[in-house]
Each structure stands twice: as C-alpha cells, then as structure tokens.
Amino acid sequence: MVLYIIGLGLSDEKDITVKGLEAVKSCERIYLEAYTSILTVGKERLEAFYEKPIVIADREMVESEADVILKDADKVNVAFLVVGDPFGATTHTDLVHRATELNIPVVPIHNASIMNAVGCCGLQLYNYGQTVSIVFFTDTWKPDSFYDKIGMNSKIELHTLCLLDIKVKEQSIENLARGRKIYEPPRYMSINTAVSQLIEVAESRAEAEPVAVPAYTKHTIAVGLARVGCVDQKIVAGTLEELEHVDFGGPLHSLVLAGKMHFLEAEVVRAFAVDKGSFDKYAVVSQH
C-alpha cells in the first residue's frame, strides 16, 4: 500500500496522465492540494472524471495535519493530488519525508508544470537561471530579494522565470490577532501587478545605488504568460513598461525576464511582441 503524489498538469481534469488516473482509481482516499496553484476547473469536475470523492487539503491541513493524510497509508492506497508536478513546491517534499519516516512507500507520478511548460514562449529552458517569486507588496512589507537574484541571472545573460503570488485562505491581521477563522477572498497576482512592483524596486535600487549596473530596467524585454496549457493561453512579449498595460485576463499568470537571447529565441519571442519596433530596440540578441 502506498502514498501516491500525483501531478495533475496545468489545465483541467483531463491533464492527468494515464498512470496517474489508474493510481487515483486504486485509492481509498484522495486529497487535492489547493493553495500553491489552481486548475481551471473545480473539484466537482475532477470527482466526475475520476469517479472518486476528493477532499480539499488546504495549507493548514498539509502543514499541520499531515498525519490525517498519512493515516493508514501503510494499509490502503492514498492519493495526494498536486496541480502541475508533485515537486513544484517544498511542502510536498516535506509530506514525502514524513511518509518515509513512517515507513510508508511513496510513489510520485510526474506531469507538466510551469517550470517546463514556460518553454512555449520561445526562450529555451537551458538558458534560464534561478527562478524567483514575486509576492504581493503591502504598505509595510515590500520584500525585494528577487532583484538580486535577477541581477545574478542577468550578469551571466540568463532568463528569469518569475512565479507570481497566490493568496488562498489567508486571514487579515485583525482576524489572525483575534483568533477568528475568517478568511480573505482568494487573490492571484497579475502580470500587471508584478511588473509594477518590479519597476518600483528597480527605481528604488537605482536611487540607492546610482553607479551600479541595474539588474533590469523598465525597458528590459519580458514575456507575460497567462493560463499556460489552457485553450485560452495568452503570451505577450514587450518591455516591462509595455506589459504593465496589457490585459492578460484571468489567472494564473507568470512572467519571464529575458536575458541575452539566441537569435532563434528572439525570432520566436518577437512574434509575441506588443510592438516589434520596441522589441528590436531593446532586445539583447546573440548572433551565435
């Protein structure tokens, strides 16, 4: 008997692999992780397709009540469903570690995630550096460590994938302080918000270090990707300044800051450009 960690892919109930579907059908209990990413369909569609009931596993359950998920997994098959690939988030690695300590066999079943599907924009996967996360700024909290990581990537001419913040089942500071289990509506960061924050940080750093080589500027070429893997997938390239004003539609969004592009990469990305003249002016392209 095993704990299956099953990747669901990026779009809907049909993105699961044949191997994953067979595993699901063999399980007595099925949990759907519901806070690091989302599909375009709800759990009802998954239940109808898999012909099995599904329990939503929020962050609190996965991080604080893992024993509930792992209960009797040494006697019956249990499935833990993850949007994208099973190991796209460290939380899932922790669950595997806990299961291993309890001598519960773990079988991962992989699937597509944004980490590889981002190749659809034309920038080659082996030309990416460190991936960064962009979180929602508040009036009092504006973490900007991503700037230095983008700078390291840029220095060696690599692209940077930016994963954008998701807020699901979050409590306000007041409700948290009062111990009230009242949650804020889900929020999914848009490319527009991410770009606005990126430009804000770039301008702040330029003021603080006027002689430094910037990690990026508002003229840096970037690619915005929305709903990758879905029928209404949208890809738009342009300067950060241009992308701030593009309507990308609903979630989920991702953003790539381009490093130096091979000329073949540039040809593909240029086809997605808001303004090809602007792209030709600001793109950094290698002819070799």
Side-chain angles (χ1 to χ4, degrees):
M1 298 299 102
V2 302
L3 171 69
Y4 288 106
I5 312 284
I6 302 171
L8 297 183
L10 293 167
S11 179
D12 58 30
E13 73 277 18
K14 294 183 180 178
D15 276 1
I16 193 169
T17 63
V18 173
K19 183 184 288 186
L21 184 58
E22 288 175 347
V24 165
K25 289 183 178 292
S26 77
C27 289
E28 185 164 307
R29 298 196 316 279
I30 302 162
Y31 298 91
L32 172 63
E33 184 266 276
Y35 60 89
T36 60
S37 191
I38 57 168
L39 291 174
T40 59
V41 297
K43 85 177 184 90
E44 295 78 16
R45 284 270 293 272
L46 299 181
E47 288 175 327
F49 188 67
Y50 305 156
E51 299 177 333
K52 289 274 188 173
I54 294 173
V55 177
I56 295 293
D58 59 21
R59 183 186 296 273
E60 185 178 340
M61 182 180 200
V62 177
E63 295 183 352
S64 305
E65 303 173 23
D67 54 323
V68 174
I69 297 171
L70 298 175
K71 183 181 177 183
D72 297 329
D74 56 339
K75 301 181 183 69
V76 298
N77 287 349
V78 176
F80 185 74
L81 309 180
V82 180
V83 177
D85 187 78
F87 298 112
T90 53
T91 299
H92 312 135
T93 306
D94 181 61
L95 186 65
V96 169
H97 177 64
R98 289 171 186 242
T100 303
E101 286 190 325
L102 294 171
N103 295 315
I104 297 169
V106 178
V107 176
I109 299 178
H110 296 284
N111 209 321
S113 78
I114 191 61
M115 302 293 286
N116 54 22
V118 69
C120 67
C121 75
L123 297 173
Q124 297 167 1
L125 293 178
Y126 50 76
N127 290 336
Y128 281 77
Q130 296 183 74
T131 296
V132 304
S133 295
I134 313 292
V135 302
F136 282 110
F137 284 177
T138 69
D139 292 339
T140 56
W141 189 59
K142 297 185 177 184
D144 63 357
S145 60
F146 59 77
Y147 182 89
D148 300 304
K149 290 182 179 180
I150 294 170
M152 285 188 272
N153 290 344
S154 176
K155 190 173 181 180
I156 52 177
E157 303 179 338
L158 297 178
H159 316 311
T160 304
L161 170 61
C162 302
L163 303 178
L164 309 189
D165 200 6
I166 293 174
K167 297 289 188 189
V168 178
K169 209 173 180 183
E170 298 278 333
Q171 292 174 276
S172 67
I173 293 173
E174 181 185 352
N175 285 329
L176 193 60
R178 292 176 180 272
R180 296 187 300 215
K181 298 221 168 188
I182 300 172
Y183 301 100
E184 302 291 294
R187 287 194 297 154
Y188 306 99
M189 183 180 285
S190 67
I191 290 162
N192 316 90
T193 297
V195 168
S196 173
Q197 293 185 180
L198 282 161
I199 292 174
E200 179 182 342
V201 169
E203 291 175 346
S204 173
R205 290 295 189 98
E207 263 184 49
E209 306 171 60
V211 296
V213 176
Y216 59 88
T217 71
K218 64 183 180 180
H219 299 305
T220 294
I221 294 296
V223 186
L225 303 99
R227 300 170 303 285
V228 172
C230 301
V231 292
D232 61 345
Q233 169 179 297
K234 184 167 186 173
I235 302 174
V236 182
T239 65
L240 286 173
E241 189 175 43
E242 288 169 338
L243 294 187
E244 189 174 5
H245 306 290
V246 173
D247 180 3
F248 284 91
L252 290 169
H253 292 187
S254 302
L255 179 69
V256 179
L257 273 65
K260 178 177 277 189
M261 291 177 273
H262 184 273
F263 68 91
L264 292 175
E265 289 180 296
E267 282 183 19
V268 178
V269 176
R270 188 177 185 272
F272 297 118
V274 173
D275 181 321
K276 290 181 171 54
S278 174
F279 180 88
D280 293 340
K281 180 178 179 180
Y282 293 113
V284 181
V285 183
S286 167
Q287 296 303 316
H288 306 287

